[in-house]
Amino acid sequence: SSILNQNPELFVTPSSAMPGVMLATIQAYQSNELFAAYPRNEPAQISVRRLFEAYYEGESASIIIDKNRSWTNNLSLITTYISTQPKIICPVRNFDEILASFLSLIKNNPFREGQQTRINFVDQYLVGNNIPITDENRCLHLINSDGIVGASYNGLKEVYENEDTRNCLHFVEYEDLMRKPEKTVDAVYDFLGLPRYKHDYENIINMHQEDDLNHYGLADMHMVRPSISPRSISLDIVPEKVREAVKN
């Protein structure tokens, strides 16, 4: 997102609250006794649609790219309230590399009482469910259907396997972005039907830094390096049992 944000015509959001806010509003209507007694479905739909419009009112960019990993799990939100022709950019990477990255972040962010407001979100889930904190259990939670990796994969898989929705996806392979950034980003513009832009891959700035430490317990979870270059990560940090499981 920090690369595309170099283009003044684009605004790629940080991790967006919009899917959750829209779903919560829909659920509020559905569970409201007064609305059930006298439903006004069309105005309700309009109000949900206008949430998205109002949230980004005042942005100078002509194109908004709302970033949230759950959009593939909620494609109907887009087609019902935003656009009947959705386009979703999907950065993808091997499972074992994603897990290695998370485990590395967790080990680099040990909880320090008095300095942090919370433990990392992975360990918080394990503690809350009386599951021992081990690297294997951390990985299993992440790739389970209720973990952020597993849920993202399942949503992506569902959209991809449906011939009617497959074309709304554009995959950006991590290795392609690292080794062929210009060609890879040009393909994103082509997918979006937008004119290509000359990006500076040696001066990348995250203009929308999230408060990772206090909200996720993982400082620098969304850190952006100033230049694009391949970075090796040891997969040995991922338990062998998990590495074998994700191969399938």
Side-chain angles (χ1 to χ4, degrees):
S1 61
S2 294
I3 296 172
L4 293 178
N5 273 326
Q6 292 178 347
N7 184 341
E9 293 301 313
L10 303 180
F11 172 49
V12 187
T13 73
S15 299
S16 169
M18 284 315 300
V21 170
M22 294 170 75
L23 284 172
T25 304
I26 294 166
Q27 291 163 2
Y29 278 123
Q30 292 173 343
S31 62
N32 188 287
E33 185 178 66
L34 300 177
F35 183 78
Y38 189 78
R40 301 187 67 218
N41 293 317
E42 187 173 345
Q45 283 201 343
I46 292 172
S47 70
V48 175
R49 183 177 302 115
R50 287 182 179 169
L51 281 171
F52 195 86
E53 298 169 359
Y55 192 69
Y56 293 115
E57 186 175 350
E59 288 295 338
S60 59
S62 58
I63 303 292
I64 305 291
I65 299 177
D66 187 275
K67 185 179 75 174
N68 189 295
R69 69 174 65 87
S70 74
W71 279 124
T72 51
N73 300 88
N74 297 287
L75 187 62
S76 62
L77 275 183
I78 304 177
T79 56
T80 302
Y81 300 103
I82 301 174
S83 171
T84 57
Q85 296 180 309
K87 294 189 176 186
I88 305 178
I89 304 165
C90 307
V92 292
R93 193 176 185 182
N94 290 340
F95 267 108
D96 51 4
E97 294 178 3
I98 295 172
L99 295 175
S101 180
F102 269 113
L103 290 179
S104 179
L105 274 171
I106 290 170
K107 293 180 186 302
N108 289 335
N109 286 272
F111 179 72
R112 296 180 176 88
E113 194 168 352
Q115 298 181 33
Q116 296 171 231
T117 58
R118 56 167 295 173
I119 62 174
N120 71 77
F121 71 95
V122 179
D123 289 354
Q124 185 177 44
Y125 174 89
L126 298 180
V127 170
N129 288 275
N130 296 314
I131 301 171
I133 295 178
T134 66
D135 284 346
E136 181 175 324
N137 286 337
R138 285 165 168 160
C139 291
L140 291 177
H141 166 55
L142 287 166
I143 63 176
N144 281 344
S145 59
D146 60 348
I148 62 172
V149 179
S152 301
Y153 171 77
N154 290 337
L156 190 59
K157 183 172 180 284
E158 182 178 351
V159 175
Y160 180 77
E161 290 183 345
N162 185 332
E163 291 184 0
D164 294 330
T165 57
R166 180 181 301 167
N167 289 337
C168 77
L169 303 176
H170 178 77
F171 295 100
V172 177
E173 294 274 359
Y174 175 81
E175 286 299 320
D176 289 343
L177 183 60
M178 292 300 102
R179 300 185 185 281
K180 302 176 290 184
E182 186 171 0
K183 181 178 179 180
T184 303
V185 173
D186 281 349
V188 171
Y189 279 100
D190 294 345
F191 168 70
L192 296 175
L194 299 175
R196 295 176 179 181
Y197 184 85
K198 186 68 174 177
H199 288 278
D200 183 353
Y201 300 102
E202 299 298 324
N203 185 31
I204 303 170
I205 300 171
N206 184 0
M207 297 182 288
H208 310 291
Q209 182 62 55
E210 299 173 50
D211 187 359
D212 293 329
L213 181 60
N214 288 317
H215 290 277
Y216 309 116
L218 293 173
D220 298 331
M221 188 168 76
H222 295 98
M223 181 190 71
V224 175
R225 287 178 290 157
S227 63
I228 285 189
S229 59
R231 182 178 63 168
S232 62
I233 183 168
S234 174
L235 302 181
D236 293 340
I237 194 174
V238 180
E240 184 177 355
K241 182 178 178 180
V242 176
R243 275 183 278 153
E244 290 299 318
V246 297
K247 283 181 180 179
N248 302 321

